[in-house]
Amino acid sequence: MTQHFDNDVISAILAHMNGDHVADNHTIVHAFADPAASDVTMVGFDGDGGDWEYSDAAGATVRTRIPWPTEVLERKDVRRAVVELHRGAVQRLGGERGDRIST
């Protein structure tokens, strides 16, 4: 069964990701969804994965879901999953990285 989080938790994490880790959002979406993505914003998540919206090369708004690389059951697990997802994205892109998400 998919883990769902309270709106307060979701809002806090999204504000952090979209305020402090804008480049990391781009790195994740570039690696796992669309290398041409721009204006990337994290828009949601649950225990199975994260949701991002971005503009594609044609300017259309696209929503993508990227599964977590690790189990997410509690709020603290979201941070770990995003860090692991970002590390995987950096590796997939050959070492290119945005802001550094600390562990």
Side-chain angles (χ1 to χ4, degrees), residues 59-74:
T61 299
V62 178
R63 187 174 181 135
T64 190
R65 178 144 183 97
I66 302 172
W68 299 131
T70 186
E71 185 175 57
V72 172
L73 299 174
E74 300 177 29

PDB file of all heavy atoms in Angstrom, residues 59-74:
ATOM      1  N   GLY A  59       7.566  23.851 -25.355  1.00  0.00           N
ATOM      2  CA  GLY A  59       6.911  24.790 -24.458  1.00  0.00           C
ATOM      3  C   GLY A  59       5.675  24.250 -23.763  1.00  0.00           C
ATOM      4  O   GLY A  59       5.021  24.970 -23.016  1.00  0.00           O
ATOM      5  N   ALA A  60       5.364  22.980 -24.003  1.00  0.00           N
ATOM      6  CA  ALA A  60       4.202  22.362 -23.343  1.00  0.00           C
ATOM      7  C   ALA A  60       4.553  22.006 -21.898  1.00  0.00           C
ATOM      8  O   ALA A  60       5.689  21.650 -21.593  1.00  0.00           O
ATOM      9  CB  ALA A  60       3.770  21.106 -24.096  1.00  0.00           C
ATOM     10  N   THR A  61       3.569  22.101 -21.026  1.00  0.00           N
ATOM     11  CA  THR A  61       3.759  21.686 -19.639  1.00  0.00           C
ATOM     12  C   THR A  61       3.557  20.177 -19.551  1.00  0.00           C
ATOM     13  O   THR A  61       2.557  19.647 -20.028  1.00  0.00           O
ATOM     14  CB  THR A  61       2.761  22.403 -18.712  1.00  0.00           C
ATOM     15  OG1 THR A  61       2.990  23.807 -18.805  1.00  0.00           O
ATOM     16  CG2 THR A  61       2.935  21.952 -17.268  1.00  0.00           C
ATOM     17  N   VAL A  62       4.526  19.515 -18.947  1.00  0.00           N
ATOM     18  CA  VAL A  62       4.519  18.058 -18.826  1.00  0.00           C
ATOM     19  C   VAL A  62       4.644  17.707 -17.349  1.00  0.00           C
ATOM     20  O   VAL A  62       5.389  18.348 -16.607  1.00  0.00           O
ATOM     21  CB  VAL A  62       5.703  17.433 -19.607  1.00  0.00           C
ATOM     22  CG1 VAL A  62       5.734  15.927 -19.450  1.00  0.00           C
ATOM     23  CG2 VAL A  62       5.643  17.832 -21.066  1.00  0.00           C
ATOM     24  N   ARG A  63       3.912  16.697 -16.938  1.00  0.00           N
ATOM     25  CA  ARG A  63       4.043  16.175 -15.571  1.00  0.00           C
ATOM     26  C   ARG A  63       4.666  14.790 -15.668  1.00  0.00           C
ATOM     27  O   ARG A  63       4.257  13.985 -16.499  1.00  0.00           O
ATOM     28  CB  ARG A  63       2.682  16.098 -14.894  1.00  0.00           C
ATOM     29  CG  ARG A  63       2.801  15.712 -13.421  1.00  0.00           C
ATOM     30  CD  ARG A  63       1.451  15.792 -12.738  1.00  0.00           C
ATOM     31  NE  ARG A  63       1.588  15.457 -11.348  1.00  0.00           N
ATOM     32  CZ  ARG A  63       1.047  16.121 -10.356  1.00  0.00           C
ATOM     33  NH1 ARG A  63       0.289  17.164 -10.599  1.00  0.00           N
ATOM     34  NH2 ARG A  63       1.221  15.746  -9.116  1.00  0.00           N
ATOM     35  N   THR A  64       5.655  14.546 -14.826  1.00  0.00           N
ATOM     36  CA  THR A  64       6.315  13.248 -14.834  1.00  0.00           C
ATOM     37  C   THR A  64       6.405  12.701 -13.420  1.00  0.00           C
ATOM     38  O   THR A  64       6.480  13.461 -12.456  1.00  0.00           O
ATOM     39  CB  THR A  64       7.719  13.341 -15.471  1.00  0.00           C
ATOM     40  OG1 THR A  64       8.231  12.022 -15.674  1.00  0.00           O
ATOM     41  CG2 THR A  64       8.697  14.125 -14.599  1.00  0.00           C
ATOM     42  N   ARG A  65       6.369  11.397 -13.327  1.00  0.00           N
ATOM     43  CA  ARG A  65       6.504  10.709 -12.037  1.00  0.00           C
ATOM     44  C   ARG A  65       7.775   9.894 -12.096  1.00  0.00           C
ATOM     45  O   ARG A  65       8.002   9.132 -13.038  1.00  0.00           O
ATOM     46  CB  ARG A  65       5.323   9.794 -11.805  1.00  0.00           C
ATOM     47  CG  ARG A  65       5.442   9.013 -10.507  1.00  0.00           C
ATOM     48  CD  ARG A  65       4.053   8.879  -9.911  1.00  0.00           C
ATOM     49  NE  ARG A  65       4.061   8.203  -8.646  1.00  0.00           N
ATOM     50  CZ  ARG A  65       4.054   8.813  -7.474  1.00  0.00           C
ATOM     51  NH1 ARG A  65       4.047  10.120  -7.414  1.00  0.00           N
ATOM     52  NH2 ARG A  65       4.016   8.128  -6.366  1.00  0.00           N
ATOM     53  N   ILE A  66       8.610  10.063 -11.081  1.00  0.00           N
ATOM     54  CA  ILE A  66       9.870   9.336 -11.011  1.00  0.00           C
ATOM     55  C   ILE A  66       9.851   8.514  -9.721  1.00  0.00           C
ATOM     56  O   ILE A  66       9.703   9.073  -8.631  1.00  0.00           O
ATOM     57  CB  ILE A  66      11.077  10.298 -11.041  1.00  0.00           C
ATOM     58  CG1 ILE A  66      11.012  11.149 -12.330  1.00  0.00           C
ATOM     59  CG2 ILE A  66      12.380   9.519 -10.945  1.00  0.00           C
ATOM     60  CD1 ILE A  66      12.022  12.261 -12.398  1.00  0.00           C
ATOM     61  N   PRO A  67       9.966   7.190  -9.838  1.00  0.00           N
ATOM     62  CA  PRO A  67       9.913   6.351  -8.643  1.00  0.00           C
ATOM     63  C   PRO A  67      11.143   6.557  -7.753  1.00  0.00           C
ATOM     64  O   PRO A  67      12.242   6.833  -8.233  1.00  0.00           O
ATOM     65  CB  PRO A  67       9.876   4.922  -9.195  1.00  0.00           C
ATOM     66  CG  PRO A  67      10.175   5.013 -10.635  1.00  0.00           C
ATOM     67  CD  PRO A  67      10.110   6.442 -11.062  1.00  0.00           C
ATOM     68  N   TRP A  68      10.921   6.427  -6.452  1.00  0.00           N
ATOM     69  CA  TRP A  68      12.024   6.514  -5.500  1.00  0.00           C
ATOM     70  C   TRP A  68      12.932   5.296  -5.661  1.00  0.00           C
ATOM     71  O   TRP A  68      12.447   4.197  -5.894  1.00  0.00           O
ATOM     72  CB  TRP A  68      11.523   6.543  -4.059  1.00  0.00           C
ATOM     73  CG  TRP A  68      10.639   7.697  -3.697  1.00  0.00           C
ATOM     74  CD1 TRP A  68       9.444   7.608  -3.057  1.00  0.00           C
ATOM     75  CD2 TRP A  68      10.879   9.092  -3.879  1.00  0.00           C
ATOM     76  NE1 TRP A  68       8.917   8.858  -2.860  1.00  0.00           N
ATOM     77  CE2 TRP A  68       9.787   9.790  -3.352  1.00  0.00           C
ATOM     78  CE3 TRP A  68      11.912   9.825  -4.455  1.00  0.00           C
ATOM     79  CZ2 TRP A  68       9.689  11.175  -3.368  1.00  0.00           C
ATOM     80  CZ3 TRP A  68      11.814  11.208  -4.484  1.00  0.00           C
ATOM     81  CH2 TRP A  68      10.720  11.870  -3.941  1.00  0.00           C
ATOM     82  N   PRO A  69      14.226   5.482  -5.462  1.00  0.00           N
ATOM     83  CA  PRO A  69      15.155   4.363  -5.548  1.00  0.00           C
ATOM     84  C   PRO A  69      15.258   3.563  -4.244  1.00  0.00           C
ATOM     85  O   PRO A  69      15.996   2.586  -4.163  1.00  0.00           O
ATOM     86  CB  PRO A  69      16.488   5.040  -5.867  1.00  0.00           C
ATOM     87  CG  PRO A  69      16.364   6.392  -5.235  1.00  0.00           C
ATOM     88  CD  PRO A  69      14.903   6.765  -5.372  1.00  0.00           C
ATOM     89  N   THR A  70      14.521   4.009  -3.239  1.00  0.00           N
ATOM     90  CA  THR A  70      14.569   3.380  -1.917  1.00  0.00           C
ATOM     91  C   THR A  70      13.181   3.476  -1.285  1.00  0.00           C
ATOM     92  O   THR A  70      12.344   4.264  -1.721  1.00  0.00           O
ATOM     93  CB  THR A  70      15.632   4.076  -1.034  1.00  0.00           C
ATOM     94  OG1 THR A  70      15.778   3.377   0.186  1.00  0.00           O
ATOM     95  CG2 THR A  70      15.281   5.520  -0.758  1.00  0.00           C
ATOM     96  N   GLU A  71      12.953   2.697  -0.260  1.00  0.00           N
ATOM     97  CA  GLU A  71      11.650   2.675   0.403  1.00  0.00           C
ATOM     98  C   GLU A  71      11.372   3.991   1.138  1.00  0.00           C
ATOM     99  O   GLU A  71      12.233   4.524   1.823  1.00  0.00           O
ATOM    100  CB  GLU A  71      11.612   1.507   1.393  1.00  0.00           C
ATOM    101  CG  GLU A  71      10.274   1.315   2.051  1.00  0.00           C
ATOM    102  CD  GLU A  71      10.244   0.078   2.921  1.00  0.00           C
ATOM    103  OE1 GLU A  71      11.078  -0.021   3.838  1.00  0.00           O
ATOM    104  OE2 GLU A  71       9.388  -0.768   2.676  1.00  0.00           O
ATOM    105  N   VAL A  72      10.151   4.489   0.997  1.00  0.00           N
ATOM    106  CA  VAL A  72       9.730   5.722   1.662  1.00  0.00           C
ATOM    107  C   VAL A  72       8.468   5.428   2.465  1.00  0.00           C
ATOM    108  O   VAL A  72       7.411   5.174   1.908  1.00  0.00           O
ATOM    109  CB  VAL A  72       9.478   6.850   0.638  1.00  0.00           C
ATOM    110  CG1 VAL A  72       8.848   8.060   1.307  1.00  0.00           C
ATOM    111  CG2 VAL A  72      10.767   7.233  -0.058  1.00  0.00           C
ATOM    112  N   LEU A  73       8.630   5.452   3.789  1.00  0.00           N
ATOM    113  CA  LEU A  73       7.509   5.195   4.691  1.00  0.00           C
ATOM    114  C   LEU A  73       7.221   6.370   5.616  1.00  0.00           C
ATOM    115  O   LEU A  73       6.098   6.549   6.066  1.00  0.00           O
ATOM    116  CB  LEU A  73       7.776   3.941   5.531  1.00  0.00           C
ATOM    117  CG  LEU A  73       7.951   2.639   4.752  1.00  0.00           C
ATOM    118  CD1 LEU A  73       8.356   1.509   5.691  1.00  0.00           C
ATOM    119  CD2 LEU A  73       6.683   2.298   3.992  1.00  0.00           C
ATOM    120  N   GLU A  74       8.261   7.159   5.919  1.00  0.00           N
ATOM    121  CA  GLU A  74       8.138   8.286   6.842  1.00  0.00           C
ATOM    122  C   GLU A  74       8.724   9.540   6.200  1.00  0.00           C
ATOM    123  O   GLU A  74       9.468   9.455   5.217  1.00  0.00           O
ATOM    124  CB  GLU A  74       8.907   7.995   8.133  1.00  0.00           C
ATOM    125  CG  GLU A  74       8.433   6.776   8.882  1.00  0.00           C
ATOM    126  CD  GLU A  74       9.279   6.503  10.119  1.00  0.00           C
ATOM    127  OE1 GLU A  74       9.820   7.460  10.696  1.00  0.00           O
ATOM    128  OE2 GLU A  74       9.388   5.329  10.493  1.00  0.00           O
TER     129      GLU A  74
END
